[in-house]
Amino acid sequence: MNDQATLWQKQKSSAITAMFGLSLITGIVIAALSPQNAASGMPLGIQLVANVLLFVLGFRWLGADSAERDIRRPMWLNVGIVLLAAVFVPYYLYKTRPAGARVAPILNFFGLVLGCAVTSAVGATLMGTFSAAPGTPATL
């Protein structure tokens, strides 16, 4: 593997790692700001900031992947990814992978989405567990 390919792989890995870290932090912040109402959802401002940051990290990954594969994404695909990532990211992965190697990246994308949701829940649970007042039972 050449140096440029190694750099793209590192950028892609760091973007995914940052997505999980951001999800964990988001869960912690939600639980810290509304410990009694964590089930009712997060404040809109936090949700907006977290989603924008996740999109930025996702586009960082897509940029590195496109550069690694020497592909230029059309503007309509970028707009589609922002508007409906659950459809357009798998489309991008399908179109940029060779036949026979398309299913795994698409499943990995949905696994990443699920993994980020679980990581956020873990962050909220950890915050709730460690911030419980003395004498009150911590709930999971």
Side-chain angles (χ1 to χ4, degrees):
M1 191 179 283
N2 65 28
D3 291 336
Q4 189 62 42
T6 302
L7 177 63
W8 289 320
Q9 285 296 326
K10 286 181 182 180
Q11 287 178 356
K12 288 165 54 174
S13 295
S14 67
I16 290 172
T17 302
M19 290 173 118
F20 280 113
L22 176 62
S23 296
L24 182 70
I25 291 168
T26 302
I28 291 169
V29 169
I30 293 166
L33 292 179
S34 57
Q36 310 305 9
N37 298 329
S40 67
M42 66 179 101
L44 185 58
I46 294 172
Q47 183 176 3
L48 180 64
V49 169
N51 286 346
V52 167
L53 290 173
L54 283 171
F55 271 117
V56 167
L57 292 169
F59 268 99
R60 182 176 173 203
W61 184 93
L62 283 168
D65 188 71
S66 295
E68 179 182 33
R69 296 175 184 284
D70 197 25
I71 296 169
R72 185 175 180 278
R73 292 184 319 272
M75 180 59 74
W76 67 265
L77 184 59
N78 290 333
V79 171
I81 289 169
V82 170
L83 295 177
L84 196 56
V87 172
F88 287 95
V89 171
Y91 174 80
Y92 165 80
L93 294 170
Y94 179 84
K95 294 302 268 186
T96 59
R97 284 4 186 218
R102 293 176 172 155
V103 174
I106 293 169
L107 291 177
N108 287 340
F109 166 71
F110 288 113
L112 174 67
V113 172
L114 180 63
C116 285
V118 168
T119 303
S120 184
V122 167
T125 301
L126 289 173
M127 183 65 183
T129 301
F130 292 115
S131 66
T136 60
T139 59
L140 296 181

